[in-house]
Amino acid sequence: VLLHFFRLGYTPFALAFLFLLYEIAGIVANLGGGWLALRFGIPRMLATGQVLQIAGLVMLSALDPGWSAAVSVLWVLVAQGISGIAKDVTKTASKSAIKATSRDRSSQLFHWVAWFTGSKNAMKGAGFFVGGLLLEVMGFQHALWLMAALIGLILVAGFVLLPVQLGKAKSSKTV
């Protein structure tokens, strides 16, 4: 998104504004994500994050070059907000999955969370490279559709492979 709008000649301020709702939505998702994963189960939260990410990508792909700059920025702002929620709900559910499946709760948990966080940051760097390559080779809209399709495949794999009750809190017998 950033590279595409940079190519279109948007100012640095407009580019920063595109990600404003993304970051704010991420804060909200982080605050409630752990509670939601505990209440509804990790697979459902992962699926929710993936569905929201697909929706954000499809929304971005519907961006019309004929729109005014203000409408385009608003459209992308909302789509990025959806993507921000998706990213943090997925991240929180993933970290919850590590906690729920860690055998040795004290030392192994820290190791896995550190590894997960580091690999997430490495994937972000690789994502910028791959995103730039896809933008150059396929164009903005087709690159977004490809990413949405790949996330859709991961979504289906999650439904098939993840235990439904993973991370879900047991119902309490007391108030």
Side-chain angles (χ1 to χ4, degrees):
V1 172
L2 183 65
L3 294 173
H4 177 69
F5 278 89
F6 176 76
R7 274 175 139 180
L8 295 177
Y10 280 71
T11 67
F13 181 73
L15 291 174
F17 194 71
L18 292 177
F19 292 92
L20 182 65
L21 191 56
Y22 176 86
E23 296 300 337
I24 293 170
I27 293 168
V28 173
N30 271 317
L31 289 173
W35 176 79
L36 290 170
L38 186 64
R39 180 161 170 83
F40 297 110
I42 294 167
R44 187 176 292 174
M45 292 311 299
L46 284 171
T48 300
Q50 292 165 338
V51 167
L52 286 171
Q53 187 62 55
I54 291 168
L57 290 169
V58 170
M59 186 175 174
L60 279 173
S61 74
L63 184 69
D64 186 344
W67 292 346
S68 70
V71 171
S72 294
V73 167
L74 182 62
W75 185 265
V76 173
L77 183 69
V78 172
Q80 289 296 94
I82 293 169
S83 293
I85 292 170
K87 175 196 59 109
D88 285 310
V89 164
T90 303
K91 178 181 71 174
T92 303
S94 299
K95 285 185 178 182
S96 297
I98 291 170
K99 185 177 180 183
T101 58
S102 178
R103 291 185 196 117
D104 179 9
R105 300 273 183 203
S106 57
S107 63
Q108 190 68 12
L109 178 62
F110 178 75
H111 170 76
W112 281 110
V113 169
W115 186 87
F116 177 75
T117 302
S119 65
K120 175 188 66 92
N121 292 336
M123 290 301 293
K124 283 170 71 174
F128 277 114
F129 175 77
V130 172
L133 181 65
L134 289 174
L135 182 60
E136 190 67 31
V137 172
M138 300 180 75
F140 186 66
Q141 189 176 48
H142 290 101
L144 293 170
W145 289 345
L146 175 64
M147 288 188 293
L150 291 174
I151 293 170
L153 288 175
I154 295 167
L155 174 66
V156 170
F159 280 128
V160 172
L161 299 173
L162 289 175
V164 177
Q165 296 297 319
L166 179 63
K168 193 170 183 180
K170 310 291 186 263
S171 59
S172 175
K173 292 184 168 91
T174 63
V175 176

